[in-house]
Amino acid sequence: MTFAITQTCCSDATCVAVCPVNCIHPTPEERTFGSTEMLYIDPKTCIDCGACADACPVDAIFPVDGLAPDQKEYAAINAAYFEDAEQPAPAEGSPNFHTWGEPRFERSLPADFAPLRVAVVGTGPAGMYAAEDLLLHTAAEVTLIDRLPVAGGLVRYGVAPDHPATRKVGETFARFHAHPRVRMYLGLEAGRDVSAEEIAAHHDAVVYAVGASADRRLGLPGEERPGIVSATAFVAWYNAHPEVAPDAMDLSASRVVVVGNGNVALDVARILVCDPETLAGTDIADHALAALRAGSVREVVVVGRRGPEDAAYTRSEALALGHLPGVELVVDDHDPRIGPAIDAAGPQDKAGVLRGVARERVDWSRPPGGERRIVLRFHSSVLDVAGDDEGVRAVGVTGGEGGTEIPAGLLLRAVGYRGLPVAGLPFDEDTATVPHRGGRVDGMPGTYVVGWIKRGPSGGIGANRTCAAETIGTLLADAVAGALPSPTGSAKAFQRLARRRNRDLVDARGLAGIERAERTRGDREGRPRVKLATVGELVSAAKGPWRLTR
């Protein structure tokens, strides 16, 4: 028997570090690490020890003979990777035995080096990997700052509720929230409540992990009209983000067009058409569950410029679409290039995932029927959107002579995230990132970036681990070189400053109160948690015992 890595793989390489026989690839030392969709287990080398499954932070690894029916494909996917993959030379003196180390840069702080005081702005995966690196490998004191009154970032507000295993990585990060060398200031916005200069004045170094919270635009006339919504906002809405109103989404249309074919596009398509009762046992926002139950959406059209061989989504996410109960998956066969690309695809090719999917030349003049379905339309771009101040009526797309009009009442743009400027830091408008060298912000000694604000919106959760390792490696090298400016304020002074600026700050104890409140509500309804959806609810739960008033 062997193990297989499945859909929720986060590629953070924890499994690689514990494997005693070097059967998981690509490793952090291999050229393809970070560019493959997921990690893979070689069935010929695996010794069935289970160390990788025990170490996996997102429960993505299972024995092959125990795979669920909708995950059986992953046995073949893992094996197929090794048919053509270039493998590294075996360890000297042992053809099948080698242990890879943790994916991090060398640490060179002298033993008698005074502990650093480092602020990390942002508590999503990038910020928490940076904090973890500092806490595990140095004696640093870490200040965690987040503009929201709850920690988690995209782990809490970006992962789809029907992917609970992916959210388990948050439990890994949560163990550092109450670490004795951590001080937490949630609800404190850098650049608004405290300036970049003020944070820097109280710390040896500051690491910004603020992500990419905006979205890219389509550049269409009238893009601000009702009925055109960013997938970023839609994802935040169904995840109970306190900055998106519960009534922000109108799901009265029977057909929705999603522009873009990355994983976020597939996430929103899947949530829109899956049976709401399958979501009732997740932590989806109460208001989103109610809207989906009352909504009329029966068909989602996913429009992508690329062909099926070059789609931006991962194969694992596309595979999952084919296993949605009660949902038909269809490829719109409007372009003569689509069929041949799917038929000629090999086992490792993205288009091969769609080989068994129905194809039809969709007649858009017919309204959606009673069945729920997702239509993948490749080689197509949006030309215009018909509608007025009341909303959207139709979406014009390329394909066919003069284009094609798809009647729809809602358009979701899912064409990528975009970073926003951070007050007090330089910003590159073209890349929507902070200019840096190895994570060190240009022209600002002691200031660093990590995650999407550093490298742009690419890579999943695990990509932030090696990204953080580079940044923290640069920071520590600067510390050894004496290049960090000396703080003029103490940790106590920063605490007083923060509390003057915001009386409703949430610390580690308050965060634990929020956790208890949400899980208590969830227990009553047979759900993992029921999220508190407003800033007021979150702050109230943090300040004292939560009273169930529902």
Side-chain angles (χ1 to χ4, degrees), residues 69-92:
D70 60 348
Q71 294 181 323
K72 293 291 186 184
E73 296 104 325
Y74 289 99
I77 288 173
N78 277 251
Y81 174 79
F82 295 91
E83 293 178 2
D84 301 313
E86 179 182 345
Q87 300 301 319
E92 182 178 353

Side-chain angles (χ1 to χ4, degrees), residues 418-433:
R418 179 179 171 83
L420 293 175
V422 179
L425 271 63
F427 189 71
D428 186 325
E429 288 288 349
D430 292 336
T431 62
T433 60

Side-chain angles (χ1 to χ4, degrees), residues 51 59 71 151 175 233 237 247 271 325 363 366 474 491 493 504 516:
D59 288 349
Q71 294 181 323
R175 74 183 193 268
W237 172 76
D247 61 353
I271 294 297
D363 180 2
R366 297 176 58 185
T474 300
D504 291 328
R516 286 192 301 272

